[in-house]
């Protein structure tokens, strides 16, 4: 059995929601970003967290590295 078979699955809808959230953050639209993040299902969140942990980070760190925050670009 493959080791990754027990990993949580990331749904295509969640991928779109995450993309929409990141786009909204980039445009300085914090309420839209929050709404998109809240639309992500629990299993997909686990998959996102698992993948980010595999590269040594979390969503907050990713956003900071990209220069984004809930209040627009970081200065």
């Amino acid at each position: 059995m493959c080791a990754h078979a027990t990993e949580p699955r990331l749904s295509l809808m969640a991928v779109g929601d995450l993309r929409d959230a990141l786009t909204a953050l980039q445009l300085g639209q914090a309420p839209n970003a929050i709404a998109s993040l809240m639309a992500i299902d629990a299993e997909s969140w686990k998959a996102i967290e698992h993948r980010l942990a595999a590269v040594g980070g979390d969503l907050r760190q990713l956003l900071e590295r990209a220069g984004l925050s809930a209040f627009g670009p970081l200065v």
Side-chain angles (χ1 to χ4, degrees):
M1 183 171 218
C2 296
H4 67 278
T6 60
E7 294 177 9
R9 293 186 45 90
L10 182 58
S11 72
L12 290 177
M13 184 168 282
V15 171
D17 289 332
L18 182 59
R19 181 200 60 230
D20 291 347
L22 295 175
T23 299
L25 282 175
Q26 188 175 32
L27 298 173
Q29 301 170 350
N32 292 343
I34 292 167
S36 292
L37 291 174
M38 291 181 68
I40 297 173
D41 64 280
E43 184 174 359
S44 292
W45 263 120
K46 289 177 187 174
I48 291 167
E49 290 172 342
H50 179 80
R51 291 175 185 197
L52 287 171
V55 295
D58 59 25
L59 186 57
R60 181 182 300 243
Q61 291 171 331
L62 173 68
L63 295 175
E64 287 173 353
R65 287 184 200 136
L68 298 172
S69 76
F71 304 104
L74 298 173
V75 179

